[in-house]
Coordinates of all heavy atoms in Angstrom, one line a residue:
R1 N 14.5 -11.2 17.8 CA 15.2 -10.0 17.2 C 15.9 -9.2 18.3 O 15.5 -9.3 19.5 CB 14.2 -9.1 16.5 CG 13.1 -8.4 17.3 CD 12.1 -7.7 16.4 NE 11.1 -7.0 17.2 CZ 10.0 -6.4 16.7 NH1 9.8 -6.5 15.4 NH2 9.2 -5.8 17.5
Q2 N 16.9 -8.4 17.9 CA 17.7 -7.6 18.8 C 18.1 -6.3 18.2 O 18.5 -6.3 17.0 CB 18.9 -8.5 19.3 CG 19.7 -7.8 20.4 CD 20.7 -8.8 21.0 OE1 21.1 -9.7 20.3 NE2 21.1 -8.6 22.2
T3 N 18.1 -5.3 18.9 CA 18.6 -4.0 18.5 C 19.7 -3.6 19.5 O 19.8 -4.1 20.6 CB 17.5 -2.9 18.5 OG1 16.9 -2.8 19.8 CG2 16.4 -3.2 17.5
P4 N 20.6 -2.7 19.0 CA 21.8 -2.4 19.9 C 21.3 -1.8 21.3 O 20.4 -1.0 21.3 CB 22.5 -1.3 19.1 CG 22.1 -1.6 17.7 CD 20.7 -2.1 17.7
G5 N 21.9 -2.4 22.3 CA 21.7 -1.9 23.6 C 20.5 -2.6 24.3 O 20.1 -2.3 25.5
N6 N 19.8 -3.4 23.5 CA 18.6 -4.1 24.1 C 18.8 -5.6 24.1 O 19.7 -6.2 23.5 CB 17.4 -3.8 23.2 CG 17.0 -2.3 23.2 OD1 16.9 -1.7 24.3 ND2 16.8 -1.8 22.0
Q7 N 18.0 -6.3 24.9 CA 18.0 -7.7 25.0 C 17.3 -8.3 23.8 O 16.5 -7.7 23.2 CB 17.3 -8.2 26.3 CG 17.9 -7.8 27.6 CD 17.3 -8.5 28.8 OE1 17.4 -9.7 28.9 NE2 16.6 -7.7 29.6
R8 N 17.7 -9.5 23.5 CA 17.1 -10.2 22.4 C 15.6 -10.6 22.8 O 15.4 -11.1 23.9 CB 17.9 -11.5 22.1 CG 17.4 -12.2 20.8 CD 18.5 -13.2 20.4 NE 19.8 -12.7 20.1 CZ 20.8 -13.4 19.7 NH1 20.7 -14.7 19.5 NH2 22.0 -12.8 19.5
E9 N 14.7 -10.3 22.0 CA 13.3 -10.5 22.3 C 12.6 -11.5 21.4 O 12.9 -11.6 20.2 CB 12.5 -9.2 22.4 CG 12.4 -8.6 21.0 CD 11.5 -7.3 21.0 OE1 10.8 -7.1 22.1 OE2 11.4 -6.6 20.0
L10 N 11.7 -12.2 21.9 CA 10.9 -13.2 21.1 C 10.0 -12.4 20.1 O 9.4 -11.4 20.5 CB 10.0 -14.0 22.0 CG 9.2 -15.1 21.4 CD1 9.0 -16.3 22.3 CD2 7.8 -14.6 21.0
V11 N 10.0 -12.9 18.9 CA 9.1 -12.3 17.9 C 7.9 -13.3 17.6 O 6.8 -12.9 17.8 CB 9.8 -12.1 16.6 CG1 8.9 -11.5 15.5 CG2 11.0 -11.0 16.8
A12 N 8.3 -14.5 17.3 CA 7.3 -15.5 17.0 C 7.9 -16.9 17.0 O 9.0 -17.1 16.4 CB 6.6 -15.3 15.6
V13 N 7.3 -17.8 17.7 CA 7.8 -19.2 17.7 C 6.7 -20.2 17.6 O 5.5 -19.9 17.9 CB 8.5 -19.5 19.1 CG1 9.8 -18.7 19.2 CG2 7.6 -19.3 20.3
I14 N 7.0 -21.4 17.1 CA 6.1 -22.5 17.0 C 6.6 -23.6 18.0 O 7.7 -24.1 17.9 CB 6.0 -23.1 15.6 CG1 5.6 -22.0 14.6 CG2 5.1 -24.3 15.5 CD1 5.7 -22.4 13.1
T15 N 5.7 -24.0 18.9 CA 6.0 -25.0 19.8 C 5.0 -26.1 19.6 O 3.8 -26.0 19.9 CB 6.0 -24.6 21.3 OG1 6.9 -23.5 21.4 CG2 6.3 -25.7 22.2
G16 N 5.4 -27.2 19.0 CA 4.4 -28.2 18.5 C 3.5 -27.6 17.5 O 3.9 -27.1 16.5
S17 N 2.2 -27.6 17.9 CA 1.2 -27.0 17.0 C 0.8 -25.6 17.5 O -0.2 -25.1 16.9 CB 0.0 -27.9 16.9 OG -0.6 -28.1 18.2
T18 N 1.4 -25.1 18.5 CA 1.0 -23.8 19.1 C 2.0 -22.7 18.6 O 3.2 -22.9 18.6 CB 1.1 -23.9 20.6 OG1 0.1 -24.9 21.0 CG2 0.6 -22.5 21.2
T19 N 1.4 -21.6 18.2 CA 2.2 -20.5 17.7 C 2.0 -19.3 18.7 O 0.9 -19.0 19.2 CB 1.7 -20.0 16.4 OG1 1.8 -21.1 15.4 CG2 2.5 -18.8 15.9
N20 N 3.1 -18.7 19.1 CA 3.1 -17.6 20.0 C 3.8 -16.4 19.3 O 4.9 -16.5 18.7 CB 3.9 -17.9 21.3 CG 3.2 -19.0 22.1 OD1 3.6 -20.2 22.1 ND2 2.1 -18.7 22.7
Y21 N 3.2 -15.2 19.5 CA 3.7 -14.0 18.9 C 3.9 -12.9 20.0 O 3.1 -12.9 21.0 CB 2.8 -13.4 17.9 CG 2.6 -14.2 16.7 CD1 1.6 -15.2 16.6 CD2 3.4 -14.1 15.6 CE1 1.4 -16.0 15.5 CE2 3.2 -14.8 14.4 CZ 2.2 -15.8 14.4 OH 2.1 -16.5 13.2
A22 N 4.9 -12.1 19.8 CA 5.0 -10.9 20.6 C 3.8 -10.0 20.4 O 3.3 -9.9 19.2 CB 6.3 -10.1 20.3
D23 N 3.3 -9.3 21.4 CA 2.2 -8.4 21.2 C 2.4 -7.4 20.1 O 1.5 -7.0 19.4 CB 1.8 -7.7 22.5 CG 1.2 -8.7 23.6 OD1 0.8 -9.8 23.2 OD2 1.2 -8.3 24.8
S24 N 3.6 -6.9 20.0 CA 3.9 -5.9 19.1 C 3.8 -6.3 17.6 O 3.7 -5.4 16.7 CB 5.3 -5.3 19.3 OG 6.3 -6.3 19.2
V25 N 3.8 -7.6 17.3 CA 3.7 -8.1 16.0 C 2.5 -8.8 15.6 O 2.3 -9.2 14.5 CB 5.0 -8.9 15.6 CG1 6.3 -8.2 15.9 CG2 4.9 -10.3 16.3
K26 N 1.6 -9.1 16.6 CA 0.4 -9.8 16.4 C -0.5 -9.1 15.3 O -0.7 -7.9 15.3 CB -0.4 -9.9 17.7 CG 0.1 -11.0 18.6 CD -0.8 -11.1 19.9 CE -0.2 -12.2 20.8 NZ -1.0 -12.3 22.0
G27 N -1.0 -9.9 14.4 CA -1.8 -9.4 13.3 C -1.0 -8.9 12.1 O -1.6 -8.6 11.1

């Protein structure tokens, strides 16, 4: 995701069977 003036940041991705979330959206 990206907001004006900020870098695009990871929210959540699936790599193989592994899921990774940004700390701000966990849970």
Side-chain angles (χ1 to χ4, degrees):
R1 67 187 182 187
Q2 188 171 26
T3 56
N6 296 312
Q7 296 188 66
R8 193 169 298 182
E9 66 173 354
L10 182 148
V11 177
V13 296
I14 301 173
T15 304
S17 61
T18 301
T19 304
N20 296 103
Y21 295 92
D23 289 341
S24 60
V25 307
K26 285 183 178 178

